[in-house]
């Protein structure tokens, strides 16, 4: 990651934060779309809130389903992207999954949901994928966001910048590094576009569980994720 890319990312992040703060203060998220700078048109950002429907994913120590938190953060990312004129595809905007009605068992629903997500992603021209998830572990002491990437150079660079900004902007004690996504993840192994998967925190850690449920912290996460996205892809297409 070069310093020019990081500076551009932080500039984008600052602009996004200012715009989001202003629009939330005014209570007119949609009304200011025409005021936002147009920063990207060459790609479509696919935002994937992990899980949904009968598949709630992990459950936090306070009993909140991962799918709910993934969706809340994804919706905020989508709003920020829209403010900047970025074309997006949001894979789900409700708690429902993407499984077809014919899928009956939970196993069938989860498989069909993944197949449908893959189909949408692969049918999207010039796609970039941001998949949003939460982590969990048997030991509650672990915390910190971590970003995983598709095994290609651009995805790796995007993930490393995202990891850096998550640490520098939200959690200076986080020493986690961006890593290649595990090969056994169905969706990631069946798509062909650049992609990252952001594990935003550990639901098994009480303090982090509390933060992840906080609306203000979710907004901060969304601003960082979008700042990294805009910054990296801007820096690599100029």
């Amino acid at each position: 990651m070069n310093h020019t890319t990081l500076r551009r990312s932080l500039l984008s992040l600052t602009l996004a934060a200012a715009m989001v703060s202003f629009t939330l203060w005014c209570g007119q998220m949609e009304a200011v779309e025409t005021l936002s700078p147009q920063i990207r048109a060459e790609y479509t950002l696919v935002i994937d809130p992990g899980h949904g429907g009968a598949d709630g994913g992990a459950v936090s120590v306070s009993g909140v389903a991962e799918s709910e938190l993934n969706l809340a953060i994804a919706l905020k990312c989508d709003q920020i992207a829209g403010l900047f004129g970025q074309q997006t595809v949001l894979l789900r905007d409700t708690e429902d999954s993407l499984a077809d009605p014919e899928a009956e068992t939970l196993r069938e629903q989860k498989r069909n949901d993944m197949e449908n997500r893959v189909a949408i992603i692969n049918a999207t021209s010039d796609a970039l994928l941001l998949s949003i998830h939460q982590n969990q572990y048997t030991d509650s002491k672990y915390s910190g966001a971590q970003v995983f990437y598709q095994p290609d150079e651009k995805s790796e660079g995007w993930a490393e910048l995202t990891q850096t900004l998550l640490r520098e902007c939200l959690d200076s004690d986080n020493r986690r590094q961006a890593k290649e996504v595990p090969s056994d993840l169905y969706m990631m192994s069946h798509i062909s576009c650049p992609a990252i998967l952001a594990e935003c925190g550990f639901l098994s850690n009480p303090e982090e569980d509390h933060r992840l449920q906080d609306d203000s912290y979710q907004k901060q996460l969304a601003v960082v994720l979008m700042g990294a996205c805009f910054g990296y892809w801007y820096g690599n297409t100029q």
Side-chain angles (χ1 to χ4, degrees):
M1 175 186 63
N2 60 57
H3 293 296
T4 300
T5 299
L6 181 55
R7 283 196 298 271
R8 285 172 172 165
S9 300
L10 292 173
L11 175 60
S12 296
L13 181 62
T14 301
L15 289 171
M19 182 67 72
V20 171
S21 297
F22 174 75
T23 55
L24 291 176
W25 177 72
C26 292
Q28 299 177 33
M29 183 65 76
E30 295 180 0
V32 301
E33 184 175 352
T34 57
L35 301 177
S36 62
Q38 305 294 301
I39 61 172
R40 278 276 61 81
E42 290 84 355
Y43 62 77
T44 297
L45 178 62
V46 181
I47 303 174
D48 168 47
H51 305 285
D55 175 21
V59 178
S60 80
V61 290
S62 63
V64 176
E66 176 189 354
S67 59
E68 296 180 29
L69 301 176
N70 296 342
L71 179 60
I73 296 167
L75 288 171
K76 292 174 174 63
C77 288
D78 188 55
Q79 288 177 330
I80 294 171
L83 285 170
F84 282 84
Q86 172 61 56
Q87 183 174 353
T88 64
V89 171
L90 187 61
L91 291 187
R92 65 179 179 92
D93 58 8
T94 70
E95 267 302 305
D96 296 331
S97 77
L98 274 68
D100 297 328
E102 295 77 18
E104 297 181 353
T105 68
L106 179 58
R107 181 187 180 93
E108 291 172 343
Q109 290 172 6
K110 292 173 69 172
R111 177 75 178 196
N112 186 234
D113 173 82
M114 286 292 102
E115 292 171 342
N116 288 339
R117 292 182 199 231
V118 166
I120 294 171
I121 296 165
N122 287 338
T124 302
S125 300
D126 301 313
L128 301 173
L129 174 66
L130 168 63
S131 187
I132 297 173
H133 285 261
Q134 312 300 322
N135 218 332
Q136 189 179 51
Y137 197 65
T138 53
D139 192 330
S140 64
K141 71 179 181 181
Y142 293 104
S143 65
Q146 187 166 21
V147 185
F148 296 84
Y149 57 85
Q150 286 287 77
D152 64 78
E153 184 178 353
K154 289 186 175 181
S155 297
E156 182 176 1
W158 179 15
E160 288 177 346
L161 180 56
T162 305
Q163 187 74 56
T164 296
L165 294 185
L166 285 166
R167 177 175 60 252
E168 293 184 354
C169 298
L170 295 180
D171 184 5
S172 60
D173 294 328
N174 186 350
R175 293 294 177 262
R176 297 185 181 280
Q177 301 295 316
K179 291 185 177 181
E180 186 173 315
V181 71
S183 59
D184 60 347
L185 292 185
Y186 180 89
M187 185 173 72
M188 290 297 193
S189 64
H190 285 77
I191 60 173
S192 55
C193 67
I196 64 172
L197 186 154
E199 298 272 10
C200 298
F202 279 77
L203 299 182
S204 46
N205 180 283
E207 291 78 15
E208 199 152 60
D209 172 34
H210 178 74
R211 283 198 302 274
L212 289 165
Q213 293 182 53
D214 181 73
D215 185 69
S216 295
Y217 186 69
Q218 292 173 2
K219 291 169 186 171
Q220 293 174 51
L221 275 168
V223 167
V224 172
L225 292 172
M226 291 297 92
C229 179
F230 297 157
Y232 181 76
W233 291 101
Y234 176 83
N236 281 277
T237 55
Q238 299 299 306

